[in-house]
Amino acid sequence: MIKILWIDDEIEYFKSHILFLNKKGYEVETCNSGPEAINIIKKNSHDVILIDQNMPGLSGTESIKLINKEYSSIPIIMITQSSEDDTIEDAIGLKVKDYLIKPLNPNQILLSLTKIFRNKEIMSNKTISNYQNSFQDINDKINFCDTIEEWMEVYKVLSYWELELSEVDEKEVYEILFSQKKQANKLYADFIEKNYEKLLSNKEFTSSINLFKNRVIPEISSNSPILFVLIDNLRYDQWKIIEPLVSEGYNVELDILYSSILPTTTQYARNSIFSGLSPINIKKIHPNYWVSELDIDGKNKFENELLNEQFSRLGKKIKYKYHKILNPKDGESFYNRLVNEKENDLTILVYNFVDIISHAKKDVKFIKELASSDKAYRDLTKSWYKNSKLHEIIKKAKELKFKIIITSDHGTINVDKAALVSGDKEISNNLRYKTSKQIHSIKKEVINLDEPKKYLLPSNHLSSCYIFAKENVFFVYSNNYNNYANMFKNTYQHGGVSLEEMLVPFIVMNAK
């Protein structure tokens, strides 16, 4: 039973209200002043306090200050005769849960108590009910998708329900959604295996290769400078969890998905974004900018040069600057000179934090504890963004009237099924895709690519092949198999074929 302490110097006028609350299952204790209430609270525990503002001696707000010093965890509802702004602002400042204005109706009190104690339960039940009603429709969409646009819509719907149900304390319901998502990824991999080559030949299909041409350049105008922020490894659900923080003071004009190319890694996808070329053509046209899989050098050292070549090839005279943020010092430096970037048509900012989570192989146990589930992974992203220099940069960009574009090069997926793979000594080391002269794996778990040029990929040898992991699979060699299978199970990886890795957010925002 919920116990209420009601503080009012004229409490006798509310006997009928108290009887009403008793009948609804609440236990009500009363007193006439703040000091008396303090003594009662010391002796007995209470779940909520109702307090009148206008009392002789200590007012309601003064009494609340005393109560909050030692009992700040008890929710408080203020009752007042005044609807003046000062009174309401004082109540909000004291973090009261609700305020009610006299004359008082008992149902007002009941509604306020319901908001405090049953709001989460009611919302959870409503969310579950809404998901149950949508279940069959989602299933139908998953089973009958036959275009990339339909798959993008399915992924948005699944992400929406994942965010909604992650706040509901019903494990069984969340597992049902997880099974839907797993089925979606299975069928999506089948779709990509059958249609990816054809999609790449379609100029209307926006991928890493033509992202700048199809989406970024059309946004450039003389009206306002653009700040283009590429957050490496940002998934759509991660975007949605930080969207309320990012979009403060902005109107979100465009919220869409585009497709990362395969392999869904920085070397391939991001180089294609900045070059406007497929990997096979980067290697062909700009061999000095393409780094082999076998090379230990950084794979993305020439993004600025590739972008400059792309603009020249497209005949675009765009005044731009490129920046990469690798540490807090870089972020602080960029923040301090952001005002100078207004002179550019386009300012590009590559931010690498989210990628660190999935690349932290030396600290894999620590990362697995921090991001043990998709919800934890999203929460970690939100916590990072809220306290990051990027948050400050975007808020300052709003003041400077920048248009903001936020995107990524690829996403990431939580892997849970180890698959045995073998090849020659020069096989690549990514956990979600492999390339080499020859590779052996279980066929049903991968997309096999014997002719890399079909996917616009370069060959590292005279005869090269690629394999891409489907669903939640990750590759492990037979040598020390169990150790690595356990080590990387439930970590976040990218490079393969999944909705989370391939379907990437592209967001355009204008300052309000």
Side-chain angles (χ1 to χ4, degrees):
M1 182 179 285
I2 292 172
K3 296 176 69 175
I4 301 168
L5 177 60
W6 193 336
I7 311 163
D8 196 309
D9 64 305
E10 296 179 332
I11 194 67
E12 64 273 11
Y13 291 114
F14 298 103
K15 286 183 179 179
S16 63
H17 294 59
I18 293 168
L19 286 171
F20 174 82
L21 291 171
N22 289 156
K23 288 179 180 179
K24 293 294 182 181
Y26 295 92
E27 182 182 326
V28 183
E29 187 173 1
T30 65
C31 66
N32 299 108
S33 69
E36 186 184 351
I38 296 289
N39 291 327
I40 292 172
I41 296 168
K42 285 179 181 177
K43 296 174 185 177
N44 303 311
S45 62
H46 294 83
D47 300 297
V48 62
I49 294 170
L50 273 69
I51 186 167
D52 185 42
Q53 163 63 5
N54 300 306
M55 295 187 293
L58 284 180
S59 68
T61 50
E62 291 169 329
S63 298
I64 291 169
K65 288 176 185 176
L66 288 177
I67 294 168
N68 279 343
K69 282 184 179 179
E70 294 186 56
Y71 308 101
S72 59
S73 62
I74 304 175
I76 296 173
I77 301 169
M78 177 183 277
I79 300 167
T80 177
Q81 291 177 328
S82 173
S83 59
E84 293 177 1
D85 289 344
D86 288 348
T87 305
I88 294 172
E89 286 177 9
D90 286 344
I92 294 170
L94 291 167
K95 298 181 180 178
V96 301
K97 289 293 183 182
D98 206 353
Y99 55 87
L100 305 175
I101 298 172
K102 293 181 179 178
L104 214 56
N105 183 301
N107 281 308
Q108 281 180 277
I109 304 172
L110 185 63
L111 181 60
S112 187
L113 293 168
T114 300
K115 280 164 57 180
I116 292 171
F117 294 107
R118 293 197 59 231
N119 195 44
K120 186 173 182 180
E121 177 191 345
I122 291 168
M123 288 179 66
S124 294
N125 290 339
K126 186 66 175 174
T127 299
I128 292 169
S129 176
N130 289 341
Y131 172 62
Q132 288 172 331
N133 292 335
S134 301
F135 177 84
Q136 190 56 51
D137 182 53
I138 296 169
N139 257 8
D140 290 343
K141 286 180 177 177
I142 290 169
N143 290 322
F144 296 103
C145 270
D146 60 6
T147 68
I148 191 66
E149 291 78 16
E150 288 173 350
W151 277 113
M152 288 176 177
E153 182 58 31
V154 161
Y155 181 44
K156 279 193 169 188
V157 169
L158 290 170
S159 296
Y160 169 80
W161 283 115
E162 190 167 9
L163 291 170
E164 290 289 299
L165 293 172
S166 66
E167 302 304 318
V168 173
D169 192 20
E170 287 288 345
K171 188 177 180 182
E172 288 181 1
V173 178
Y174 197 79
E175 286 177 352
I176 291 169
L177 175 69
F178 181 78
S179 69
Q180 276 195 315
K181 194 173 174 184
K182 193 163 186 176
Q183 174 69 0
N185 264 326
K186 180 180 183 300
L187 296 178
Y188 178 70
D190 293 342
F191 171 82
I192 289 298
E193 188 167 18
K194 292 174 185 174
N195 295 281
Y196 185 67
E197 185 180 351
K198 184 170 63 176
L199 284 170
L200 288 175
S201 66
N202 182 358
K203 293 181 180 179
E204 300 300 315
F205 170 62
T206 299
S207 69
S208 313
I209 298 167
N210 56 17
L211 183 66
F212 260 84
K213 182 180 178 182
N214 286 6
R215 288 294 179 184
V216 180
I217 291 174
E219 295 289 342
I220 298 173
S221 69
S222 59
N223 296 331
S224 57
I226 290 178
L227 177 61
F228 175 92
V229 184
L230 189 149
I231 305 175
D232 195 2
N233 231 11
L234 185 75
R235 304 192 323 191
Y236 186 70
D237 62 329
Q238 289 172 291
W239 156 249
K240 295 308 286 186
I241 206 72
I242 66 172
E243 180 182 9
L245 295 170
V246 180
S247 61
E248 288 174 341
Y250 285 96
N251 290 315
V252 177
E253 304 291 342
L254 191 65
D255 180 333
I256 62 170
L257 298 169
Y258 82 92
S259 179
S260 170
I261 60 166
L262 295 174
T264 46
T265 62
T266 302
Q267 176 186 6
Y268 291 88
R270 203 158 83 199
N271 278 332
S272 282
I273 288 173
F274 287 115
S275 67
L277 298 169
S278 63
I280 195 171
N281 280 332
I282 300 173
K283 185 177 180 181
K284 180 180 178 181
I285 298 170
H286 305 295
N288 51 326
Y289 297 152
W290 181 258
V291 179
S292 166
E293 287 272 1
L294 306 176
D295 203 310
I296 60 172
D297 287 346
K299 306 290 196 290
N300 291 79
K301 295 190 298 183
F302 304 107
E303 291 169 354
N304 189 24
E305 291 84 352
L306 287 169
L307 183 60
N308 189 54
E309 292 285 353
Q310 178 177 183
F311 286 155
S312 296
R313 192 175 65 254
L314 294 174
K316 301 292 182 181
K317 293 183 178 180
I318 297 170
K319 187 176 181 182
Y320 80 94
K321 282 284 184 68
Y322 168 92
H323 306 271
K324 184 181 287 188
I325 306 300
L326 298 174
N327 54 57
K329 186 177 178 181
D330 292 342
E332 184 69 35
S333 177
F334 180 83
Y335 176 85
N336 290 332
R337 64 171 182 267
L338 181 58
V339 66
N340 300 327
E341 302 293 335
K342 284 191 71 175
E343 299 174 4
N344 304 318
D345 301 314
L346 177 66
T347 299
I348 290 149
L349 189 63
V350 175
Y351 228 93
N352 268 3
F353 173 81
V354 178
D355 193 50
I356 293 170
I357 298 172
S358 64
H359 281 315
K361 291 184 173 63
K362 290 181 181 178
D363 303 310
V364 67
K365 289 183 180 178
F366 176 64
I367 294 297
K368 281 171 75 171
E369 286 184 16
L370 283 177
S372 57
S373 66
D374 281 351
K375 184 181 186 303
Y377 190 44
R378 288 190 296 270
D379 288 345
L380 181 60
T381 306
K382 184 177 181 179
S383 178
W384 158 72
Y385 180 77
K386 190 174 182 179
N387 297 285
S388 72
K389 183 56 71 172
L390 180 58
H391 191 189
E392 294 179 38
I393 288 168
I394 288 179
K395 286 196 289 187
K396 188 173 182 179
K398 183 206 71 167
E399 296 169 7
L400 297 170
K401 303 298 182 185
F402 276 88
K403 178 188 286 190
I404 305 288
I405 295 176
I406 293 178
T407 192
S408 187
D409 44 2
H410 54 78
T412 185
I413 188 170
N414 188 299
V415 294
D416 63 6
K417 183 181 179 183
L420 189 63
V421 67
S422 61
D424 60 70
K425 64 180 181 179
E426 295 184 339
I427 192 170
S428 59
N429 60 11
N430 185 281
L431 295 178
R432 289 279 291 167
Y433 84 93
K434 298 291 180 184
T435 182
S436 189
K437 285 183 282 188
Q438 56 179 346
I439 307 170
H440 303 288
S441 63
I442 299 174
K443 288 187 176 182
K444 69 177 183 178
E445 295 172 334
V446 304
I447 293 177
N448 282 291
L449 182 65
D450 293 327
E451 296 181 63
K453 66 181 180 180
K454 286 186 175 181
Y455 283 14
L456 306 183
L457 297 174
S459 295
N460 295 302
H461 310 277
L462 287 176
S463 60
S464 284
C465 60
Y466 287 75
I467 61 169
F468 305 98
K470 298 178 179 180
E471 303 174 56
N472 298 73
V473 167
F474 66 103
F475 297 130
V476 182
Y477 303 121
S478 58
N479 185 27
N480 213 357
Y481 176 89
N482 289 331
N483 178 49
Y484 286 106
N486 291 326
M487 179 185 296
F488 291 109
K489 184 177 181 179
N490 295 128
T491 61
Y492 286 86
Q493 304 298 333
H494 56 272
V497 180
S498 68
L499 295 162
E500 294 95 323
E501 290 163 288
M502 289 188 72
L503 302 186
V504 186
F506 183 86
I507 313 301
V508 180
M509 304 188 303
N510 284 300
K512 290 181 179 177

